[in-house]
């Protein structure tokens, strides 16, 4: 802060903006002779500061907006006085300056607006000479390739962030031709999984292009995290510091965060498993917070008598089935699961009578549940949406598998009844006044038989519907769309109740909490929001992703939310205070599906790279990788007791994986928990229990019924 | 997505070939053929808009010809207007921090369906019944010309559409008929039946048929077409009085 303040003062003095300088100095209470030592940072931060200072008058609000328009840059002096005074007086000044500092120091080395640069700065200039960038990079490349094998894999991680940052610097300083030749020469050396990013980069050739691209701006301002062992790091540091030109060292210090760990350097395979995200890997401290991944205790019921009678008569009841029921319901043990959150950690809605009835039904069904395993695979029932003209964009099925909803690209939401029972809406007010309110079956009488149908269409959105979610009590339906709103529909009147406006950009996914009342939505504005149905504004905003949030899921205990994003990371957020408690990197493409295991301990994620990754939430580690799919995985679901993981993908297949075996033997000794490295066995083939192909229908949704029958849904695409 | 049959190089115009190449460079390999047309249309429209703006700016600056600065200014202004991008990260982090500090609100038990205050819901009826008692007593039994009248525009604009018609019969007393018409921010067409005046002694019940928009489905602005059949049995129509009634209607609305 101090340095940047000094830099601003210096700049103001050069521009003869005496008054502003005095104001600032008075505010910062600095003395004139403190400016001596920080000349080096002056020129570099000055264009950035001029840009930032010039931007606010146009906008009127002092936001830390990194976007710099060419016209404002042209006339820093003219608008300097009024806006500098105004912007300096405003509160987010330090933020702006910080941004300007971070932005400009690493970047704008070549100072074009300041021809009167002193001799001291000329050396700095030379280091930033654009034509030498290629030499620096190839020098580093040469060094890394000549280093020892064990270090080479780790040091190769440097290539990609350095390449991107150097290229962006060249573009930002408007050295277009050098940037182009730099790109041509080195883009082929990067890892294959960065190719999508590089393609986007290749289209950014001018400074103005960077302005609108929020993801690239975030990339420039956030630090790319690398995990390197201490030995490799020492090697690198020694090499970079002994050379005369420290340009790369500057970039490393400015834009990279090197998380050093003590121990063996990692192998290429280990590294490849973990890298791939837009911001590098996750710092180890990011995954150290305590996460309550246990489940909340189920409330006890007075109903078990009925169930036991039922079970006695039940012919298919195997002795094994009695145990799970006893553990879940009415467990007499009072001791709290240490990993479970306290009951009242977050306020949850109370259990209504209808909910209790539902739970009883659930338990009865659970008693008749098929126990799945490698020998006993589930049957799969596929619901194909015909004549959808590739407009099917979202599907959801209720927990008791009675209704299925489809969200379409023509902005309609269609609800079907899966069971023979038709969909009925409540009668109109005129008719309701005619019924006998005292009769026993009043709940049936309020339903209108005349308009009962298998299908109900809900109109209201003005853009394709990208996400749908039923509430656990089957009273409400949520849908989110490209028009930026999330709509709550009543399934009793089949009308829209509320439109939640918060995202002003397409909302990609939404989900109700397992207990109802709360729901989460994630969209193009890179945040996920937590809402409650009775608040028109979000309760929590989860900001931190570098690119769109494409997938949002609640943890079974409703205390945590997992978000998958186009920046190829998965973050786990705490609902109570909005903190990010886990960051999982490793996917090489945007994440499109997430599934929590029923016991709450594990998370499975699927992305466009066709891999399913398994994560241990408690320790924050990757514990498994399932390879097999060849295209984006849009659906993931664990079976009701967590024995089987089903994955559905655009390659028209459903695959079943053995979840019990995948989570079985985890080596969690001190080293792995400390460093987060794990040697993943190549056992995808062993874990694969079956591959089931559809006739050219990509699988969009998977759902295990209460009895462990697998339902799948997709739209027939004819080719 | 269907696999695209790219236009054969011989027949496609040069622009289309360039666009196809751009798509290929950006890594898009599968697309419907009309994507190229849509992209070309967008490119043409965008460039035209920018150049027109640039011409305006350069003439404002009293320059003889359009130069790069004008174009740059035009691009910048249009970007701020049309292509808004999501807020920057630090802003989001800031508001997130503010929002996340407030504790989660407690949930009141047994409060029925949990919805926001009615103002923020879409559950309110978006029509209002307005009685026309005064008017009817003077207009009963007259032959009036069907007319279209427009009411005030509502504050929340949205595309007006027609919903499902639901017939409602309103029975009205004989002499002083008070047909209800739905007024407000919609089109009302009053098509009174042309009945000979002073004819039948028995009161006929006028039917008001309203074409209602299902209020829950779409936005608040509705088109309502009401057919209003004025009951007969009043004073005999005379041309003067008819004109008077028409003026009345204008005033009322």
């Amino acid at each position: 802060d101090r340095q940047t303040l000094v830099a601003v003062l210096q700049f103001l003095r050069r521009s003869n903006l005496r008054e502003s300088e005095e104001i600032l100095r008075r505010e910062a209470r600095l003395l004139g002779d403190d400016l001596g030592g920080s000349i080096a940072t002056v020129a570099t931060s000055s264009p950035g500061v001029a840009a930032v200072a010039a931007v606010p008058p146009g906008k009127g609000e002092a936001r830390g907006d990194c976007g710099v328009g060419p016209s404002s840059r042209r006339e820093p002096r003219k608008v300097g006085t009024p806006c500098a005074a105004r912007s300096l007086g405003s509160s987010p000044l330090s933020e702006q300056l910080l941004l300007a500092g971070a932005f400009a120091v690493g970047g704008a080395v070549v100072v074009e607006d300041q021809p009167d640069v002193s001799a001291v700065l000329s050396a700095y200039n030379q280091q930033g000479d654009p034509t030498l960038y290629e030499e620096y990079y190839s020098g580093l490349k040469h060094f890394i390739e000549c280093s020892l094998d064990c270090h080479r894999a780790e040091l190769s991680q440097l290539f990609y962030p350095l390449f991107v940052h150097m290229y962006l610097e060249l573009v930002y300083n408007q050295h277009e031709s050098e940037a182009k030749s730099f790109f041509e020469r080195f883009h082929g050396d990067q890892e294959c999984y960065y190719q999508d990013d590089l393609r986007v980069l290749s289209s950014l050739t001018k400074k103005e292009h960077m302005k609108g691209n929020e993801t690239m701006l975030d990339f420039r301002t956030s630090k790319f995290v690398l995990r390197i062992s201490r030995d490799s790091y020492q090697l690198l540091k020694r090499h970079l510091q002994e050379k005369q030109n420290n340009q790369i060292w500057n970039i490393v210090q400015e834009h990279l965060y090197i998380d050093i760990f003590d121990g063996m350097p990692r192998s290429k395979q280990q590294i490849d498993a973990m890298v791939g995200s837009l911001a590098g890997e996750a710092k180890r401290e990011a995954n150290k917070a305590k996460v309550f991944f246990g489940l909340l205790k189920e409330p006890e019921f007075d109903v078990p008598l009925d169930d036991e009678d039922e079970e006695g008569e039940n012919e298919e009841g195997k002795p094994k089935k009695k145990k799970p029921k006893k553990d879940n319901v009415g467990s007499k043990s009072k001791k709290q699961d240490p990993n479970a959150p306290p009951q009242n950690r977050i306020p949850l809605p109370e259990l209504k009578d209808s909910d209790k009835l539902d739970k009883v039904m659930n338990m009865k069904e659970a008693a008749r549940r098929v126990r799945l395993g490698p020998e006993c695979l589930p049957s799969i029932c596929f619901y194909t949406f015909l004549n959808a003209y590739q407009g099917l964009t979202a599907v959801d099925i209720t927990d008791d598998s009675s209704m299925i909803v489809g969200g379409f690209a023509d902005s309609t939401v269609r609800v079907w009844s899966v069971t023979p029972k038709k969909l009925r809406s409540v009668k109109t007010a005129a008719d309701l006044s005619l019924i006998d309110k005292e009769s026993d079956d009043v709940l049936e009488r309020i339903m209108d038989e005349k308009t009962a149908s298998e299908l109900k269409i809900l109109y209201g959105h003005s853009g394709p519907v990208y996400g749908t979610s039923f509430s656990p009590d089957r009273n409400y339906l949520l849908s989110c769309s490209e028009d930026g709103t999330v709509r709550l529909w009543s399934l009793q009147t089949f009308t829209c109740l509320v439109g939640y406006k918060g995202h002003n950009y397409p909302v990609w996914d939404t989900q109700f909490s397992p207990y109802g009342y709360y729901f989460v939505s994630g969209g193009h504005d890179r945040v996920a929001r937590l809402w409650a149905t009775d608040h028109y504004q979000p309760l929590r905003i989860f900001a931190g992703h570098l690119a769109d949030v494409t997938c949002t899921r609640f943890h079974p205990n409703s205390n945590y939310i997992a978000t998958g994003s186009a920046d190829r990371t998965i973050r786990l957020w705490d609902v109570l205070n909005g903190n990010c408690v886990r960051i999982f990197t490793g996917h090489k493409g945007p994440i499109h599906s997430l599934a929590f295991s029923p016991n709450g301990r594990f998370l499975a994620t699927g992305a466009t790279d066709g891999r399913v990754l398994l994560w241990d939430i408690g320790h924050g580690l990757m514990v498994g990788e399932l390879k097999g799919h060849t295209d984006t995985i849009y659906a993931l679901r664990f079976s009701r007791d967590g024995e089987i993981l089903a994955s559905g993908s655009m390659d028209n297949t459903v695959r079943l994986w053995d979840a019990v075996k995948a989570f079985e033997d985890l080596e969690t000794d001190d080293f792995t928990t400390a460093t987060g490295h794990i040697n993943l066995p190549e056992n995808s083939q062993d874990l694969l229990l079956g591959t089931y192909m559809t006739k050219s229908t990509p699988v969009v949704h998977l759902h295990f019924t209460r009895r462990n029958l697998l339902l799948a849904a997709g739209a027939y695409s004819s080719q | 997505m269907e696999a695209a049959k790219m236009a054969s190089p011989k027949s496609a115009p040069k622009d289309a070939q360039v666009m196809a190449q751009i798509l290929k460079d950006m890594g898009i390999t599968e697309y419907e053929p009309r994507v190229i047309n849509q992209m070309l249309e967008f490119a043409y429209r965008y460039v035209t808009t920018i150049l027109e703006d640039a011409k305006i700016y350069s003439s404002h600056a009293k320059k003889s010809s359009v130069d790069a600065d004008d174009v740059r200014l035009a691009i910048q202004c249009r970007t701020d207007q049309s292509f808004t991008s999501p807020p920057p990260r630090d802003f989001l982090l800031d508001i997130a921090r503010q929002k996340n500090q407030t504790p989660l609100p407690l949930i009141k038990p047994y409060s029925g369906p949990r919805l926001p205050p009615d103002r923020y819901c879409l559950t309110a009826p978006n029509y209002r019944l307005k009685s026309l008692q005064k008017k009817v007593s003077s207009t009963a039994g007259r032959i009036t010309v069907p007319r279209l009248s427009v009411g005030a525009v509502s504050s929340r604009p949205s595309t007006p559409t027609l919903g499902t018609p639901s017939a409602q019969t309103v029975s009205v007393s004989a002499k002083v008929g008070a047909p209800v018409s739905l007024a407000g921010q919609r089109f009302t067409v009053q098509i009174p039946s042309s009945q000979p005046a002073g004819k039948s002694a028995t009161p006929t019940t006028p039917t008001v048929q309203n074409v209602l928009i299902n209020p829950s489905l779409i936005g608040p602005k509705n088109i309502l077409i009401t057919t209003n059949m004025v009951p007969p049995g009043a004073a005999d129509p005379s041309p003067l009085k008819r004109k008077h009634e028409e003026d009345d209607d204008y005033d009322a609305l």
Side-chain angles (χ1 to χ4, degrees), chain A residues 3 8 16 65 78 124 197 232-234 317 319 340 394 444 470 541 581 603 671 699:
Chain A
Q3 279 206 325
V8 174
N16 300 323
D65 194 356
K78 223 197 299 186
Y124 208 64
D197 284 349
S232 315
Y233 179 69
Q234 300 292 7
E444 274 79 43
F470 279 110
I541 294 185
V581 294
L603 177 64
F671 177 70
V699 183

PDB file of all heavy atoms in Angstrom, chain A residues 3 8 16 65 78 124 197 232-234 317 319 340 394 444 470 541 581 603 671 699:
ATOM      1  N   GLN A   3       3.883   1.640  -0.804  1.00  0.00           N
ATOM      2  CA  GLN A   3       4.639   1.874  -2.034  1.00  0.00           C
ATOM      3  C   GLN A   3       3.773   2.486  -3.110  1.00  0.00           C
ATOM      4  O   GLN A   3       4.170   3.395  -3.831  1.00  0.00           O
ATOM      5  CB  GLN A   3       5.212   0.546  -2.541  1.00  0.00           C
ATOM      6  CG  GLN A   3       6.480   0.153  -1.834  1.00  0.00           C
ATOM      7  CD  GLN A   3       7.346  -0.731  -2.705  1.00  0.00           C
ATOM      8  OE1 GLN A   3       6.825  -1.537  -3.463  1.00  0.00           O
ATOM      9  NE2 GLN A   3       8.642  -0.568  -2.619  1.00  0.00           N
ATOM     10  N   VAL A   8       1.937   7.048  -6.371  1.00  0.00           N
ATOM     11  CA  VAL A   8       0.931   8.012  -6.834  1.00  0.00           C
ATOM     12  C   VAL A   8       1.399   9.432  -6.579  1.00  0.00           C
ATOM     13  O   VAL A   8       1.264  10.319  -7.422  1.00  0.00           O
ATOM     14  CB  VAL A   8      -0.412   7.758  -6.111  1.00  0.00           C
ATOM     15  CG1 VAL A   8      -1.408   8.836  -6.461  1.00  0.00           C
ATOM     16  CG2 VAL A   8      -0.955   6.403  -6.513  1.00  0.00           C
ATOM     17  N   ASN A  16       2.462  17.759 -12.255  1.00  0.00           N
ATOM     18  CA  ASN A  16       2.178  19.104 -11.758  1.00  0.00           C
ATOM     19  C   ASN A  16       0.782  19.234 -11.196  1.00  0.00           C
ATOM     20  O   ASN A  16       0.139  20.270 -11.343  1.00  0.00           O
ATOM     21  CB  ASN A  16       2.371  20.155 -12.874  1.00  0.00           C
ATOM     22  CG  ASN A  16       3.788  20.133 -13.372  1.00  0.00           C
ATOM     23  OD1 ASN A  16       4.698  19.933 -12.583  1.00  0.00           O
ATOM     24  ND2 ASN A  16       3.965  20.337 -14.662  1.00  0.00           N
ATOM     25  N   ASP A  65     -12.350  -1.116 -11.060  1.00  0.00           N
ATOM     26  CA  ASP A  65     -12.539  -1.715 -12.372  1.00  0.00           C
ATOM     27  C   ASP A  65     -11.241  -1.668 -13.146  1.00  0.00           C
ATOM     28  O   ASP A  65     -10.674  -0.608 -13.360  1.00  0.00           O
ATOM     29  CB  ASP A  65     -13.640  -0.934 -13.096  1.00  0.00           C
ATOM     30  CG  ASP A  65     -14.121  -1.690 -14.304  1.00  0.00           C
ATOM     31  OD1 ASP A  65     -13.561  -2.748 -14.593  1.00  0.00           O
ATOM     32  OD2 ASP A  65     -15.049  -1.203 -14.947  1.00  0.00           O
ATOM     33  N   LYS A  78      -5.381  15.883 -18.533  1.00  0.00           N
ATOM     34  CA  LYS A  78      -6.522  16.793 -18.569  1.00  0.00           C
ATOM     35  C   LYS A  78      -7.528  16.472 -17.492  1.00  0.00           C
ATOM     36  O   LYS A  78      -8.006  17.339 -16.800  1.00  0.00           O
ATOM     37  CB  LYS A  78      -7.193  16.713 -19.952  1.00  0.00           C
ATOM     38  CG  LYS A  78      -7.550  18.082 -20.476  1.00  0.00           C
ATOM     39  CD  LYS A  78      -8.544  18.066 -21.593  1.00  0.00           C
ATOM     40  CE  LYS A  78      -8.070  17.317 -22.796  1.00  0.00           C
ATOM     41  NZ  LYS A  78      -9.032  17.455 -23.901  1.00  0.00           N
ATOM     42  N   TYR A 124      15.364  -0.813 -15.814  1.00  0.00           N
ATOM     43  CA  TYR A 124      14.082  -1.488 -15.637  1.00  0.00           C
ATOM     44  C   TYR A 124      13.391  -1.670 -16.963  1.00  0.00           C
ATOM     45  O   TYR A 124      12.780  -2.678 -17.238  1.00  0.00           O
ATOM     46  CB  TYR A 124      13.229  -0.646 -14.690  1.00  0.00           C
ATOM     47  CG  TYR A 124      12.229  -1.437 -13.911  1.00  0.00           C
ATOM     48  CD1 TYR A 124      12.643  -2.392 -12.997  1.00  0.00           C
ATOM     49  CD2 TYR A 124      10.876  -1.216 -14.079  1.00  0.00           C
ATOM     50  CE1 TYR A 124      11.713  -3.108 -12.278  1.00  0.00           C
ATOM     51  CE2 TYR A 124       9.960  -1.939 -13.359  1.00  0.00           C
ATOM     52  CZ  TYR A 124      10.381  -2.879 -12.457  1.00  0.00           C
ATOM     53  OH  TYR A 124       9.467  -3.592 -11.742  1.00  0.00           O
ATOM     54  N   ASP A 197      -8.062 -23.079 -23.320  1.00  0.00           N
ATOM     55  CA  ASP A 197      -7.686 -21.746 -22.852  1.00  0.00           C
ATOM     56  C   ASP A 197      -6.818 -21.031 -23.869  1.00  0.00           C
ATOM     57  O   ASP A 197      -6.970 -19.837 -24.103  1.00  0.00           O
ATOM     58  CB  ASP A 197      -6.879 -21.855 -21.554  1.00  0.00           C
ATOM     59  CG  ASP A 197      -7.762 -22.159 -20.385  1.00  0.00           C
ATOM     60  OD1 ASP A 197      -8.988 -22.081 -20.543  1.00  0.00           O
ATOM     61  OD2 ASP A 197      -7.226 -22.485 -19.320  1.00  0.00           O
ATOM     62  N   SER A 232      13.051 -28.542  -5.452  1.00  0.00           N
ATOM     63  CA  SER A 232      12.855 -27.974  -6.784  1.00  0.00           C
ATOM     64  C   SER A 232      12.790 -26.457  -6.712  1.00  0.00           C
ATOM     65  O   SER A 232      13.295 -25.750  -7.582  1.00  0.00           O
ATOM     66  CB  SER A 232      11.568 -28.504  -7.404  1.00  0.00           C
ATOM     67  OG  SER A 232      11.448 -29.871  -7.220  1.00  0.00           O
ATOM     68  N   TYR A 233      12.142 -25.982  -5.675  1.00  0.00           N
ATOM     69  CA  TYR A 233      11.999 -24.534  -5.564  1.00  0.00           C
ATOM     70  C   TYR A 233      13.351 -23.865  -5.394  1.00  0.00           C
ATOM     71  O   TYR A 233      13.633 -22.819  -5.991  1.00  0.00           O
ATOM     72  CB  TYR A 233      11.066 -24.193  -4.402  1.00  0.00           C
ATOM     73  CG  TYR A 233      10.900 -22.713  -4.210  1.00  0.00           C
ATOM     74  CD1 TYR A 233      10.223 -21.955  -5.145  1.00  0.00           C
ATOM     75  CD2 TYR A 233      11.443 -22.079  -3.102  1.00  0.00           C
ATOM     76  CE1 TYR A 233      10.077 -20.598  -4.983  1.00  0.00           C
ATOM     77  CE2 TYR A 233      11.291 -20.718  -2.934  1.00  0.00           C
ATOM     78  CZ  TYR A 233      10.613 -19.985  -3.870  1.00  0.00           C
ATOM     79  OH  TYR A 233      10.471 -18.642  -3.711  1.00  0.00           O
ATOM     80  N   GLN A 234      14.199 -24.466  -4.568  1.00  0.00           N
ATOM     81  CA  GLN A 234      15.520 -23.878  -4.372  1.00  0.00           C
ATOM     82  C   GLN A 234      16.277 -23.825  -5.676  1.00  0.00           C
ATOM     83  O   GLN A 234      16.943 -22.834  -6.002  1.00  0.00           O
ATOM     84  CB  GLN A 234      16.328 -24.716  -3.371  1.00  0.00           C
ATOM     85  CG  GLN A 234      15.706 -24.837  -2.008  1.00  0.00           C
ATOM     86  CD  GLN A 234      15.690 -23.520  -1.262  1.00  0.00           C
ATOM     87  OE1 GLN A 234      16.041 -22.468  -1.811  1.00  0.00           O
ATOM     88  NE2 GLN A 234      15.282 -23.570  -0.020  1.00  0.00           N
ATOM     89  N   GLY A 317     -38.122 -59.676   2.956  1.00  0.00           N
ATOM     90  CA  GLY A 317     -37.196 -59.083   3.916  1.00  0.00           C
ATOM     91  C   GLY A 317     -36.054 -60.005   4.255  1.00  0.00           C
ATOM     92  O   GLY A 317     -36.251 -61.081   4.798  1.00  0.00           O
ATOM     93  N   PRO A 319     -32.544 -60.652   6.411  1.00  0.00           N
ATOM     94  CA  PRO A 319     -32.088 -60.182   7.729  1.00  0.00           C
ATOM     95  C   PRO A 319     -31.208 -58.946   7.618  1.00  0.00           C
ATOM     96  O   PRO A 319     -31.198 -58.101   8.465  1.00  0.00           O
ATOM     97  CB  PRO A 319     -31.292 -61.371   8.302  1.00  0.00           C
ATOM     98  CG  PRO A 319     -31.371 -62.453   7.292  1.00  0.00           C
ATOM     99  CD  PRO A 319     -32.268 -62.079   6.210  1.00  0.00           C
ATOM    100  N   ALA A 340     -20.745 -34.639  12.421  1.00  0.00           N
ATOM    101  CA  ALA A 340     -22.020 -34.080  11.981  1.00  0.00           C
ATOM    102  C   ALA A 340     -22.187 -32.685  12.566  1.00  0.00           C
ATOM    103  O   ALA A 340     -21.762 -32.429  13.685  1.00  0.00           O
ATOM    104  CB  ALA A 340     -23.167 -34.970  12.437  1.00  0.00           C
ATOM    105  N   ALA A 394     -32.936 -29.406 -19.194  1.00  0.00           N
ATOM    106  CA  ALA A 394     -32.847 -29.734 -17.769  1.00  0.00           C
ATOM    107  C   ALA A 394     -33.915 -30.752 -17.431  1.00  0.00           C
ATOM    108  O   ALA A 394     -35.016 -30.720 -17.994  1.00  0.00           O
ATOM    109  CB  ALA A 394     -33.052 -28.485 -16.925  1.00  0.00           C
ATOM    110  N   GLU A 444     -58.912 -34.473  -1.168  1.00  0.00           N
ATOM    111  CA  GLU A 444     -59.154 -34.896  -2.550  1.00  0.00           C
ATOM    112  C   GLU A 444     -60.179 -34.007  -3.208  1.00  0.00           C
ATOM    113  O   GLU A 444     -60.125 -33.770  -4.405  1.00  0.00           O
ATOM    114  CB  GLU A 444     -59.639 -36.346  -2.613  1.00  0.00           C
ATOM    115  CG  GLU A 444     -58.525 -37.355  -2.631  1.00  0.00           C
ATOM    116  CD  GLU A 444     -57.978 -37.568  -1.247  1.00  0.00           C
ATOM    117  OE1 GLU A 444     -58.782 -37.659  -0.318  1.00  0.00           O
ATOM    118  OE2 GLU A 444     -56.756 -37.622  -1.103  1.00  0.00           O
ATOM    119  N   PHE A 470     -37.213 -30.105  -7.935  1.00  0.00           N
ATOM    120  CA  PHE A 470     -38.419 -30.268  -7.141  1.00  0.00           C
ATOM    121  C   PHE A 470     -38.099 -30.030  -5.675  1.00  0.00           C
ATOM    122  O   PHE A 470     -36.997 -30.330  -5.211  1.00  0.00           O
ATOM    123  CB  PHE A 470     -38.943 -31.708  -7.272  1.00  0.00           C
ATOM    124  CG  PHE A 470     -39.735 -31.962  -8.513  1.00  0.00           C
ATOM    125  CD1 PHE A 470     -39.212 -32.760  -9.514  1.00  0.00           C
ATOM    126  CD2 PHE A 470     -40.992 -31.429  -8.679  1.00  0.00           C
ATOM    127  CE1 PHE A 470     -39.939 -33.022 -10.664  1.00  0.00           C
ATOM    128  CE2 PHE A 470     -41.724 -31.684  -9.819  1.00  0.00           C
ATOM    129  CZ  PHE A 470     -41.197 -32.480 -10.819  1.00  0.00           C
ATOM    130  N   ILE A 541     -23.991 -14.993  -0.639  1.00  0.00           N
ATOM    131  CA  ILE A 541     -23.394 -14.935  -1.973  1.00  0.00           C
ATOM    132  C   ILE A 541     -22.037 -15.613  -1.883  1.00  0.00           C
ATOM    133  O   ILE A 541     -21.203 -15.245  -1.061  1.00  0.00           O
ATOM    134  CB  ILE A 541     -23.228 -13.475  -2.435  1.00  0.00           C
ATOM    135  CG1 ILE A 541     -24.601 -12.852  -2.609  1.00  0.00           C
ATOM    136  CG2 ILE A 541     -22.461 -13.412  -3.741  1.00  0.00           C
ATOM    137  CD1 ILE A 541     -24.571 -11.467  -3.177  1.00  0.00           C
ATOM    138  N   VAL A 581     -14.652 -23.596   2.018  1.00  0.00           N
ATOM    139  CA  VAL A 581     -13.901 -24.482   2.897  1.00  0.00           C
ATOM    140  C   VAL A 581     -13.075 -25.506   2.143  1.00  0.00           C
ATOM    141  O   VAL A 581     -12.181 -26.120   2.732  1.00  0.00           O
ATOM    142  CB  VAL A 581     -14.829 -25.182   3.908  1.00  0.00           C
ATOM    143  CG1 VAL A 581     -15.426 -24.183   4.853  1.00  0.00           C
ATOM    144  CG2 VAL A 581     -15.916 -25.938   3.205  1.00  0.00           C
ATOM    145  N   LEU A 603     -17.570 -36.866  -2.471  1.00  0.00           N
ATOM    146  CA  LEU A 603     -18.164 -36.106  -3.545  1.00  0.00           C
ATOM    147  C   LEU A 603     -17.651 -36.675  -4.853  1.00  0.00           C
ATOM    148  O   LEU A 603     -16.459 -36.952  -4.985  1.00  0.00           O
ATOM    149  CB  LEU A 603     -17.737 -34.630  -3.417  1.00  0.00           C
ATOM    150  CG  LEU A 603     -18.185 -33.653  -4.476  1.00  0.00           C
ATOM    151  CD1 LEU A 603     -19.683 -33.520  -4.460  1.00  0.00           C
ATOM    152  CD2 LEU A 603     -17.544 -32.300  -4.224  1.00  0.00           C
ATOM    153  N   PHE A 671       1.621 -38.056   5.767  1.00  0.00           N
ATOM    154  CA  PHE A 671       2.210 -37.380   4.609  1.00  0.00           C
ATOM    155  C   PHE A 671       1.132 -36.943   3.626  1.00  0.00           C
ATOM    156  O   PHE A 671       1.127 -35.823   3.155  1.00  0.00           O
ATOM    157  CB  PHE A 671       3.216 -38.296   3.922  1.00  0.00           C
ATOM    158  CG  PHE A 671       3.789 -37.683   2.690  1.00  0.00           C
ATOM    159  CD1 PHE A 671       4.659 -36.618   2.783  1.00  0.00           C
ATOM    160  CD2 PHE A 671       3.428 -38.134   1.430  1.00  0.00           C
ATOM    161  CE1 PHE A 671       5.182 -36.023   1.645  1.00  0.00           C
ATOM    162  CE2 PHE A 671       3.957 -37.554   0.288  1.00  0.00           C
ATOM    163  CZ  PHE A 671       4.838 -36.509   0.407  1.00  0.00           C
ATOM    164  N   VAL A 699     -27.483 -38.968 -22.096  1.00  0.00           N
ATOM    165  CA  VAL A 699     -28.113 -39.105 -20.785  1.00  0.00           C
ATOM    166  C   VAL A 699     -27.971 -37.798 -20.035  1.00  0.00           C
ATOM    167  O   VAL A 699     -26.860 -37.328 -19.797  1.00  0.00           O
ATOM    168  CB  VAL A 699     -27.447 -40.236 -19.990  1.00  0.00           C
ATOM    169  CG1 VAL A 699     -28.144 -40.429 -18.674  1.00  0.00           C
ATOM    170  CG2 VAL A 699     -27.466 -41.509 -20.804  1.00  0.00           C
TER     171      VAL A 699
END
